[in-house]
Amino acid sequence: THCIVTGDRFCYRFSKITGLFDSLKTGGKELLSAPMQFNIWRAPTDNDRNIRREWEKAGFNVAQTRVAEISAAMAGDTVTIQTQTVLAAVYRQWIVRIGAEITIDRQGGIALRLAVTKNTEMPFLPRFGLRMFLRKDMDRAQYYGFGPQESYEDKRCGARLGLYQTTAMENHEDYIKPQENGSHCRCDFVRVTDPADMGLCIQADTPFSMNLSPYTQEELTEKQHNYELTECGHTVLCIDKGQSGIGTNSCGPELPEQYRFNDTDFVFSLRIDPVI
């Protein structure tokens, strides 16, 4: 059920079931505290109150991955894993199909190229990207993007493009009604580390959105008040190719088309490097 890739200072375990890594050991320490996931869901905002019915009807909140094809090959000091993965909810149509090419070099660097096709019968996506559950103490982030407050494609005029530092808890926006929060759009890179400055650095071919939080999106979806929130025991890092805008649909019009993440065919290329 796994492919194991090892080098002088790393050992990675790749799941043939999920099509992603469930263990990243580097410098003798584990970085992940739970398996990586493909991610399309976000905790609905107040302005998502209408579209969330369509999202939930399509099963976005309960989608599961299934690897249809997988192959692995080694050439010199490089290992390449190729997969064909489907993301869908049980008893419902498929949501996205992902053709992934994942390359691991001798230093432990991971290059991912995700070619994604979205089902045109489905509503626009809340987001698309990767969710990583890091060790709890890996809660310090440095990023270059729109900050220091949260920013989205239609909500960034008050933010500035620059180099910022934050922690998982500092990055959380404490809304009375828990919901999606704390994302930073148009990032060039994010570096997440523990107190010993060990962790990982993520870059992409095009600017991406980043979120670091002590709470899962499931927790933020379920709870009705901020005082009910319980930390998940991980540092949750979301890296998004794109995320739909926030809009005004709690009392205003629907989210404009240009701020909906509704691409039907797209490529998300990113690189994950260990920080030792």
Side-chain angles (χ1 to χ4, degrees), residues 5 9 12 39 47 79 106 138 141 148 153 159 164 240 244 256:
V5 183
R9 302 196 66 180
Y12 299 159
N39 192 24
N47 294 333
V79 173
R106 64 178 303 171
M138 288 177 59
E153 281 302 318
Y164 299 100
D240 295 315
S244 289

Side-chain angles (χ1 to χ4, degrees), residues 153-186:
E153 281 302 318
D154 63 341
K155 184 186 175 183
R156 58 183 173 84
C157 289
R160 291 187 177 183
L161 188 64
L163 182 64
Y164 299 100
Q165 295 184 355
T166 189
T167 66
M169 186 54 77
E170 289 172 356
N171 195 58
H172 173 71
E173 294 282 352
D174 191 30
Y175 291 106
I176 294 174
K177 169 64 175 71
Q179 57 194 281
E180 160 64 30
N181 71 87
S183 187
H184 300 281
C185 67
R186 303 198 181 185

Side-chain angles (χ1 to χ4, degrees), residues 43-46 143 146-152 155-156 158-159 165-185 210-216 219-221 223 225-227 229 236 246:
T45 67
D46 293 336
Y143 66 95
F146 275 89
Q149 67 270 47
E150 64 181 16
S151 58
Y152 297 82
K155 184 186 175 183
R156 58 183 173 84
Q165 295 184 355
T166 189
T167 66
M169 186 54 77
E170 289 172 356
N171 195 58
H172 173 71
E173 294 282 352
D174 191 30
Y175 291 106
I176 294 174
K177 169 64 175 71
Q179 57 194 281
E180 160 64 30
N181 71 87
S183 187
H184 300 281
C185 67
M210 178 280 294
N211 196 343
L212 195 72
S213 177
Y215 305 109
T216 64
E219 178 74 1
L220 295 170
T221 299
K223 298 300 172 61
H225 306 92
N226 56 352
Y227 61 79
L229 289 174
V236 183
I246 300 301

Side-chain angles (χ1 to χ4, degrees), residues 7 16 20 36 85 93 107 110 125 145 156 170 175 180 191 196 208 232 240 245 251:
K16 297 179 183 180
L20 287 170
M36 294 171 61
T85 302
Q93 290 190 50
Q107 286 78 36
I110 304 169
L125 297 175
R156 58 183 173 84
E170 289 172 356
Y175 291 106
E180 160 64 30
R191 186 176 187 270
F208 58 91
C232 65
D240 295 315
C251 58

Side-chain angles (χ1 to χ4, degrees), residues 2-274:
H2 290 89
C3 295
I4 308 296
V5 183
T6 61
D8 292 339
R9 302 196 66 180
F10 69 90
C11 179
Y12 299 159
R13 188 174 66 195
F14 184 88
S15 171
K16 297 179 183 180
I17 297 173
T18 65
L20 287 170
F21 296 93
D22 57 22
S23 175
L24 295 175
K25 290 183 180 178
T26 182
K29 297 188 73 173
E30 177 65 69
L31 302 182
L32 300 181
S33 53
M36 294 171 61
Q37 298 176 345
F38 291 112
N39 192 24
I40 61 170
W41 181 247
R42 75 180 184 194
T45 67
D46 293 336
N47 294 333
D48 291 333
R49 69 178 187 176
N50 295 318
I51 189 60
R52 76 173 292 177
R53 290 193 286 268
E54 298 300 316
W55 288 346
E56 291 172 342
K57 183 179 178 182
F60 289 0
N61 57 324
V62 290
Q64 300 176 15
T65 56
R66 180 176 62 85
V67 176
E69 299 177 23
I70 183 169
S71 64
M74 185 171 182
D77 294 330
T78 300
V79 173
T80 300
I81 301 171
Q82 293 183 315
T83 64
Q84 292 292 330
T85 302
V86 177
L87 192 61
V90 177
Y91 301 126
R92 284 170 248 194
Q93 290 190 50
W94 62 276
I95 302 168
V96 294
R97 292 188 172 125
I98 306 163
E101 182 175 279
I102 301 163
T103 304
I104 306 159
D105 63 33
R106 64 178 303 171
Q107 286 78 36
I110 304 169
L112 299 95
R113 184 183 186 276
L114 309 176
V116 183
T117 299
K118 173 186 169 290
N119 187 341
T120 56
E121 298 297 318
M122 293 292 184
F124 66 88
L125 297 175
R127 68 182 345 143
F128 178 85
L130 297 178
R131 180 163 63 154
M132 304 176 68
F133 298 92
L134 307 177
R135 294 196 328 264
K136 179 68 174 174
D137 64 336
M138 288 177 59
D139 66 343
R140 305 168 185 214
Q142 182 184 62
Y143 66 95
Y144 187 89
F146 275 89
Q149 67 270 47
E150 64 181 16
S151 58
Y152 297 82
E153 281 302 318
D154 63 341
K155 184 186 175 183
R156 58 183 173 84
C157 289
R160 291 187 177 183
L161 188 64
L163 182 64
Y164 299 100
Q165 295 184 355
T166 189
T167 66
M169 186 54 77
E170 289 172 356
N171 195 58
H172 173 71
E173 294 282 352
D174 191 30
Y175 291 106
I176 294 174
K177 169 64 175 71
Q179 57 194 281
E180 160 64 30
N181 71 87
S183 187
H184 300 281
C185 67
R186 303 198 181 185
C187 289
D188 287 340
F189 82 93
V190 59
R191 186 176 187 270
V192 182
T193 56
D194 64 14
D197 205 32
M198 176 177 283
L200 49 82
C201 182
I202 299 176
Q203 304 173 74
D205 286 359
T206 55
F208 58 91
S209 292
M210 178 280 294
N211 196 343
L212 195 72
S213 177
Y215 305 109
T216 64
Q217 58 207 27
E218 291 83 0
E219 178 74 1
L220 295 170
T221 299
E222 178 185 343
K223 298 300 172 61
Q224 299 300 309
H225 306 92
N226 56 352
Y227 61 79
E228 297 176 306
L229 289 174
T230 301
E231 295 182 32
C232 65
H234 316 282
T235 295
V236 183
L237 173 63
C238 292
I239 303 294
D240 295 315
K241 163 68 174 178
Q243 187 172 164
S244 289
I246 300 301
T248 60
N249 200 214
S250 63
C251 58
E254 294 182 348
L255 185 67
E257 293 282 348
Q258 68 263 35
Y259 297 124
R260 301 180 185 186
F261 190 73
N262 202 29
D263 296 358
T264 54
D265 290 282
F266 59 90
V267 174
F268 188 24
S269 296
L270 65 156
R271 182 176 177 86
I272 304 172
D273 287 295

